[in-house]
Amino acid sequence: MPETAVKKNQEMTVTIEDLTYEGLGVAKVDGYPLFIEDALPGEEVLIRVVKPLKQYGFARVQKRLTDSPDRVEVTSRAYTQTGIAPLQHLAYPAQLKFKEEQIRQLYKKSHLDIEVLPSIGMANPTGYRNKAQVPVRDINGMLQTGFYKKRSHELIPIDDFFIQDPKIDQAIMMVRDRLREYHVPAYDERKNTGVIRHIMVRRGYYSHEMMIVLVSRVWDVPHLDEIVADITKMMPEVTSIVLNRNSKPTNVILGPSTRTLFGKDYLTDELLGSKFHISPLSFYQVNPTQTEVLYTKAVEQAGLTGNEVVIDAYSGIGTISLTMARHAKHVYGVEVVPDAVADARVNAELNDIHNVTFEVGKAEDVMQTWKDQNLQADVLMVDPPRKGLDPSFVEAVGYMLPKKMVYVSCNPATLARDIHALEEFGYQATTTQPVDMFPQTQHIESITVLTR
Ligand code: SAH
């Protein structure tokens, strides 16, 4: 084993130089980087090395000797330990700057000359999440809900999740208490035994409706009728209770099949005045107020006049498609999750919007089909998952050559990669607008317009 610059348990005083994209402080000892939780650039800290690896190591703060002017008081260590809120110790304006800077650095590394505008933040950057997915585990004979410690499957019990709608926190505790009362076993992931794996809750920001999904290893949950009756009695705003079965030993939270136990099998909410049906397995943006900001900007950037044919790739339940359809000639949406496409079609009807067509399939495949059918889009809207656009999707864009692309990204690394690939086809971006959808966390959302 080669010698590292530091030894386990060694104590030393360091000055934090940088922040990783995950929000860890970085200090260097003879060029050897140490990653340190709850430490901000400029701060002088006494640390203890906990995990020296070959190329880098992890250390813990023993004592902070100076405070960054951007430091705010930490509400609960659990939020950092679990990664729920890894930036909670950084003042919100500095979080917004940090995110812009991440994009700037990525662009610089990729030799992209694109201006990054100041992030659009939230007035009140806590309690914003309209959805929770909370693991249920047994700790010393007691059923607990909380979150995993980072890079582990050790559950830390949490009641107040800080960034979730407080009504959702209340619902989780209420369900947890019912499960305890009826002695329903928590799932054991090492043995793949036990029953309840996760509690998922969604709450409509405008509708105030609540959906509770119990994710279970088995259909046969003890005392299910009593639990459902108790929940509806104690929380009348619950309009839907669903059982989702996930029998596999996997980290994926939801299984493929659901059964409705009470009420509707979907949740209703609104965005920018349109109504939306949201099924348990469908994607729905988690920050409702910022979603309205994001969509308004995206539609604005698309520059629609009412005559355009628009493709909305990765369309989910059709939220962006329907918003754009009000300003376009026709919108074609494509989405891989069948339930989400079914929702999108219902949502079009619900809002009396008829100039939309939704296809189920992989965006990269359906784009190729559309290209073969000579569908000519004026504007291509994309909102892909973290892994970004598939190379075959980019290839199809190269054949179709829409005049304008609006790229909503939740991962600047794949965004930079994809812009590079699109440059091959003559596309150019001039500005990126970050919109903070995930305060207190490291996640970065942005909108970029590309034109030919
Ligand atoms: N624009 C929507 C959804 C964005 S999230 C909204 O704002 O609500 C990304 C969506 O892409 C998810 O609904 C996911 O199911 C879908 N998706 C993931 N991979 C895909 C693929 N290869 N082709 C089409 N859709 C995909």
Side-chain angles (χ1 to χ4, degrees):
M1 274 261 287
E3 285 286 306
T4 49
V6 299
K7 300 231 167 355
K8 191 175 159 87
N9 291 325
Q10 190 180 339
E11 292 198 341
M12 60 188 91
T13 301
V14 295
T15 303
I16 306 300
E17 294 175 22
D18 205 354
L19 214 49
T20 67
Y21 77 97
E22 286 175 305
L24 297 174
V26 187
K28 293 216 175 109
V29 182
D30 297 333
Y32 174 88
L34 281 168
F35 298 117
I36 307 150
E37 215 171 76
D38 192 18
L40 294 174
E43 290 180 340
E44 223 188 313
V45 280
L46 175 67
I47 56 162
R48 186 169 58 82
V49 176
V50 287
K51 200 172 181 190
L53 303 170
K54 239 188 238 169
Q55 312 285 346
Y56 58 89
F58 293 92
R60 202 165 282 161
V61 175
Q62 299 291 97
K63 190 173 187 314
R64 199 167 52 244
L65 307 171
T66 62
D67 275 1
S68 159
D70 291 329
R71 174 169 285 278
V72 288
E73 208 183 317
V74 163
T75 352
S76 156
R77 240 202 106 204
Y79 303 147
T80 311
Q81 283 180 313
T82 54
I84 289 180
L87 300 183
Q88 62 164 335
H89 55 305
L90 188 60
Y92 190 53
Q95 289 183 23
L96 296 175
K97 286 234 164 60
F98 167 68
K99 293 185 183 187
E100 288 156 41
E101 205 44 48
Q102 296 277 310
I103 309 178
R104 283 191 195 111
Q105 280 172 16
L106 276 161
Y107 283 169
K108 204 168 151 203
K109 246 197 274 171
S110 323
H111 307 289
L112 289 169
D113 184 21
I114 304 168
E115 187 192 357
V116 181
L117 300 172
S119 308
I120 305 176
M122 287 184 88
N124 182 5
T126 58
Y128 59 85
R129 279 186 68 100
N130 61 8
K131 173 184 166 180
Q133 297 185 121
V134 172
V136 177
R137 295 292 175 267
D138 184 298
I139 301 177
N140 302 323
M142 179 70 121
L143 182 141
Q144 300 284 3
T145 47
F147 230 80
Y148 295 127
K149 211 165 154 174
K150 261 187 292 187
R151 289 176 279 270
S152 92
H153 275 212
E154 183 190 330
L155 188 95
I156 300 181
I158 295 172
D159 288 351
D160 172 354
F161 285 80
F162 183 45
I163 59 170
Q164 282 167 198
D165 182 336
K167 293 268 185 201
I168 292 182
D169 291 354
Q170 281 173 23
I172 290 166
M173 282 189 280
M174 190 266 294
V175 175
R176 174 199 66 193
D177 292 346
R178 300 285 75 66
L179 296 172
R180 282 178 181 169
E181 187 183 326
Y182 291 103
H183 303 286
V184 179
Y187 180 62
D188 180 331
E189 62 185 337
R190 273 164 311 149
K191 300 186 202 137
N192 194 30
T193 57
V195 179
I196 300 295
R197 300 169 68 121
H198 277 82
I199 301 168
M200 171 172 146
V201 182
R202 262 182 177 151
R203 179 168 189 259
Y205 181 79
Y206 290 102
S207 68
H208 297 174
E209 288 181 7
M210 227 183 313
M211 169 184 268
I212 292 177
V213 182
L214 299 171
V215 185
S216 172
R217 186 180 64 85
V218 288
W219 285 126
D220 193 14
V221 178
H223 301 282
L224 197 52
D225 294 346
E226 289 104 313
I227 292 168
V228 168
D230 283 2
I231 293 174
T232 54
K233 200 160 70 201
M234 298 177 88
M235 284 202 138
E237 58 271 52
V238 173
T239 48
S240 163
I241 305 176
V242 170
L243 185 63
N244 174 272
R245 180 164 172 260
N246 186 355
S247 58
K248 297 228 175 78
T250 163
N251 283 337
V252 178
I253 295 176
L254 294 172
S257 38
T258 55
R259 223 183 245 177
T260 306
L261 304 174
F262 168 81
K264 306 184 289 189
D265 57 357
Y266 57 87
L267 184 80
T268 312
D269 198 17
E270 276 176 42
L271 279 175
L272 297 171
S274 296
K275 276 201 163 51
F276 292 99
H277 272 217
I278 311 149
S279 294
L281 300 180
S282 299
F283 175 91
Y284 186 60
Q285 297 284 356
V286 295
N287 186 333
T289 51
Q290 288 296 89
T291 298
E292 294 191 324
V293 174
L294 181 81
Y295 289 178
T296 304
K297 279 274 162 201
V299 173
E300 203 179 283
Q301 306 268 28
L304 302 175
T305 65
N307 297 320
E308 295 80 8
V309 173
V310 179
I311 289 180
D312 178 20
Y314 311 89
S315 51
I317 62 166
T319 45
I320 296 181
S321 315
L322 297 183
T323 309
M324 294 217 162
R326 295 188 192 278
H327 310 276
K329 187 160 122 203
H330 200 93
V331 179
Y332 295 85
V334 55
E335 158 66 45
V336 77
V337 173
D339 282 14
V341 175
D343 284 341
R345 290 177 181 144
V346 169
N347 290 333
E349 290 294 316
L350 211 58
N351 294 289
D352 207 20
I353 292 175
H354 304 287
N355 55 336
V356 288
T357 311
F358 291 104
E359 300 282 351
V360 183
K362 286 192 176 167
E364 51 272 30
D365 299 343
V366 175
M367 256 315 259
Q368 296 274 356
T369 313
W370 280 336
K371 175 204 85 190
D372 294 341
Q373 293 168 348
N374 283 323
L375 175 70
Q376 197 48 58
D378 300 296
V379 176
L380 170 61
M381 167 81 224
V382 295
D383 184 7
R386 291 184 55 77
K387 66 172 193 255
L389 304 176
D390 193 272
S392 59
F393 185 92
V394 176
E395 194 188 306
V397 175
Y399 281 107
M400 195 182 280
L401 296 178
K403 290 192 276 294
K404 195 178 226 178
M405 264 184 90
V406 182
Y407 193 139
V408 174
S409 157
C410 59
N411 182 354
T414 53
L415 171 68
R417 181 202 67 196
D418 292 343
I419 294 176
H420 239 307
L422 288 160
E423 279 185 339
E424 299 282 305
F425 298 113
Y427 286 95
Q428 268 193 328
T430 51
T431 55
T432 291
Q433 173 67 68
V435 178
D436 192 25
M437 302 284 279
F438 311 101
Q440 320 301 340
T441 82
Q442 76 275 30
H443 296 292
I444 305 174
E445 188 94 8
S446 65
I447 310 172
T448 305
V449 178
L450 293 118
T451 46
R452 283 189 84 242

